[in-house]
Amino acid sequence: MIKFIKDQIKCFQCRVALRKQTRPSDKFLNQCRQLFLDKICPAPIENVRMAKSFGLIYRYGLFSFFGCMFILSGMVVFADMTNVGYGHSLYSFKRFGESVRIKLVPQAGQPSLHQEFAERRLEEMKAIKGNTIPASATEQVKNQNQSILTQNKEVEQLSQQMHQEINLIFSDVEANRIEPARIKIICNDIARILNDDEESLTEIPTKFQQESRNKLNINCAGFLDP
């Protein structure tokens, strides 16, 4: 019995030694595995290159997108904080920043923003009017007339936008969305803007000025300072 057990142990040791001696090397197995995979599912070199190129394009494209968004957002913030003038290269960014601010601010803070934007439009109109250069020679008359027409059109557009901001404030007053303690301050500020607009920019009241003045008298009659 003991001899049988010893013989079995020797047989097992022989099998282990034989398996160890005949086992392929890891390098050979890796080479064979790659050859086997190439035979079973060959991948064209062009597809591999395209996949790598697509990955690079995707990564660089994503990086470029976020980089551009960061730069553009910085330009918007800068243009809005510095309040660039009309005609400035960043003016459109400022207006975009204003639209974002009015959407993000709570409803209670919207009247103050509308007032700020109305004052900005007023200052922009004044700046345009102040840029009128008188003609010093006959050949400049035509260019000056064209410049005046362009300025008047720009001023009219800004005036309409300013009065739209004011009308939005009146809508909040009519809907009782403004605290009573703030109504007097806001009404007097609007009256100051309208007075400045009428005195410095136009000799004859425009349609927008008349509409805003009528709404001021209706909504703020009891809040205006004498």
Side-chain angles (χ1 to χ4, degrees), residues 3-164:
K3 183 180 178 184
F4 175 77
I5 295 175
K6 290 181 178 180
D7 292 340
Q8 292 297 322
I9 293 174
K10 288 182 180 180
C11 289
F12 176 76
Q13 291 175 345
C14 290
R15 286 197 297 270
V16 171
L18 180 63
R19 189 180 299 113
K20 184 176 181 181
Q21 291 296 327
T22 58
R23 184 179 184 276
S25 64
D26 293 338
K27 182 178 180 181
F28 176 78
L29 290 176
N30 291 332
Q31 292 176 349
C32 292
R33 185 183 297 110
Q34 187 61 44
L35 292 174
F36 175 77
L37 293 176
D38 291 341
K39 290 292 184 180
I40 297 300
C41 51
I45 298 177
E46 293 78 6
N47 293 345
V48 175
R49 290 177 178 175
M50 289 180 62
K52 291 182 178 179
S53 300
F54 178 78
L56 290 174
I57 293 173
Y58 176 78
R59 286 196 295 270
Y60 284 115
L62 195 63
F63 176 78
S64 300
F65 172 77
F66 284 109
C68 291
M69 291 298 295
F70 178 78
I71 294 173
L72 291 176
S73 61
M75 295 170 67
V76 169
V77 173
F78 173 81
D80 186 60
M81 292 184 63
T82 57
N83 191 21
V84 297
Y86 186 85
H88 193 279
S89 57
L90 297 179
Y91 181 77
S92 58
F93 290 93
K94 182 182 82 169
R95 297 301 299 270
F96 177 76
E98 291 178 355
S99 63
V100 172
R101 288 175 61 190
I102 203 66
K103 290 183 181 298
L104 296 179
V105 74
Q107 192 174 37
Q110 290 183 1
S112 298
L113 277 185
H114 287 308
Q115 177 187 336
E116 177 186 346
F117 298 157
E119 291 177 344
R120 285 185 174 187
R121 302 294 88 79
L122 178 62
E123 295 302 322
E124 290 164 3
M125 287 188 288
K126 288 182 179 180
I128 293 175
K129 284 291 187 180
N131 288 335
T132 303
I133 302 176
S136 58
T138 305
E139 61 271 11
Q140 294 180 342
V141 173
K142 183 177 180 180
N143 294 334
Q144 185 197 26
N145 292 336
Q146 183 64 33
S147 176
I148 292 175
L149 291 175
T150 302
Q151 288 179 350
N152 290 338
K153 185 177 180 180
E154 293 172 346
V155 169
E156 182 180 1
Q157 183 179 3
L158 290 172
S159 177
Q160 182 178 0
Q161 295 170 0
M162 182 191 74
H163 288 284
Q164 286 176 351

